[in-house]
Amino acid sequence: IGTIVDRHYSSPKHFDTHRHAPKAMKFARQVALLMVGTAFTASAFTPAALTAARGGSGAAGVARRSLAVKATTEKLPVTCGEDVMSEKAHGTSEKPVQKDLRWGCDYDTADRICNFNRHYAEYAGYWTSTRFLNEVDRENPTEYYDSVTGKLLFTAPVGRSMDEFIKESQSHGWPSFRDEEVNWEYVRCLSNGECVSTSGTHLGHNIPDGKGNRYCINLVSVAGRPEE
């Protein structure tokens, strides 16, 4: 964990989951239940299931997605292989980041970190230097979109207040999301903890703490505007 933390940028310039019939019947029922449970878990991360779990935007959608994720917490994060981050038309993505990123995030920094970087990050506290703290909704969850594709990646806060989300993020230095705040339809983690989008955008790293998985994400990677 320490190694990953140390690899985050410290300055803007450096970024670098029978014996008797009654007993036999009981055993058969247990096996059947186990098979059903296994099938449910295996199907929990199909595209259709993930879409249903996401439930759309708004408070109702967040609540449905949160409940679905809690039912499969032992499988999180959803992982992927190196193929997701293979070389594409524009670094690890098919195209550059959006031009008009939210909260005044810098285009060049965002494009470099999202598409031409695998290990490093915006410098600690960068997100507080943007308009984020002044513009973010303090009463309702905020949706965070892929800066390249405009896909919904995170919704926060879920199960906590915005003040708690901000406090944790300030303590670590980067926006910090929990399992129930991740849209697993489009977010994956590699074996080394790197957190990426299914289209190849570098997002940050999973650096677990005593509370569980904690996804430390670059604001420039999730400052996109929703796809049309």
Side-chain angles (χ1 to χ4, degrees), residues 176-206:
S176 299
F177 301 88
R178 296 295 175 169
D179 288 334
E180 59 270 24
E181 296 170 330
V182 185
N183 179 9
W184 295 107
E185 184 173 1
Y186 298 119
V187 177
R188 296 290 185 270
C189 281
L190 281 80
S191 59
N192 65 355
E194 183 184 3
C195 188
V196 303
S197 76
T198 55
S199 59
T201 304
H202 173 83
L203 304 176
H205 285 84
N206 176 24

Side-chain angles (χ1 to χ4, degrees), residues 4-16 109 113 119-130 133 168-176 207 216-220:
I4 296 176
V5 173
D6 291 340
R7 281 153 76 179
H8 277 67
Y9 285 117
S10 58
S11 71
K13 297 181 179 179
H14 297 83
F15 69 102
D16 220 6
T109 300
I113 289 177
H119 306 290
Y120 303 107
E122 63 198 22
Y123 64 88
Y126 169 85
W127 64 286
T128 64
S129 71
T130 68
L133 291 176
E168 179 174 62
S169 298
Q170 288 177 325
S171 176
H172 180 63
W174 290 267
S176 299
I207 306 178
C216 305
I217 305 300
N218 298 290
L219 187 66
V220 297

Side-chain angles (χ1 to χ4, degrees), residues 89-105:
H90 190 77
T92 56
S93 297
E94 292 294 347
K95 57 185 179 181
V97 298
Q98 299 173 3
K99 286 289 186 180
D100 186 22
L101 296 173
R102 292 191 293 172
W103 307 302
C105 287

Side-chain angles (χ1 to χ4, degrees), residues 124-141:
Y126 169 85
W127 64 286
T128 64
S129 71
T130 68
R131 300 194 304 266
F132 178 84
L133 291 176
N134 291 326
E135 298 179 358
V136 71
D137 191 329
R138 301 285 178 142
E139 303 297 327
N140 302 294

Side-chain angles (χ1 to χ4, degrees), residues 40-63:
F40 171 78
T41 301
S43 64
F45 295 120
T46 62
L50 286 165
T51 299
R54 179 158 57 96
S57 60
V62 170

Side-chain angles (χ1 to χ4, degrees), residues 61-113:
V62 170
R64 286 194 293 272
R65 182 163 61 84
S66 179
L67 289 173
V69 169
K70 287 180 179 178
T72 55
T73 300
E74 72 278 3
K75 295 296 182 180
L76 299 178
V78 180
T79 59
C80 69
E82 280 288 336
D83 56 302
V84 172
M85 299 300 284
S86 62
E87 192 72 16
K88 303 179 184 68
H90 190 77
T92 56
S93 297
E94 292 294 347
K95 57 185 179 181
V97 298
Q98 299 173 3
K99 286 289 186 180
D100 186 22
L101 296 173
R102 292 191 293 172
W103 307 302
C105 287
D106 181 69
Y107 173 86
D108 290 333
T109 300
D111 195 54
R112 187 167 60 243
I113 289 177

Side-chain angles (χ1 to χ4, degrees), residues 25-38:
M25 292 177 65
K26 181 179 180 180
F27 177 74
R29 285 195 300 270
Q30 291 174 335
V31 171
L33 288 172
L34 178 60
M35 292 176 68
V36 170
T38 302

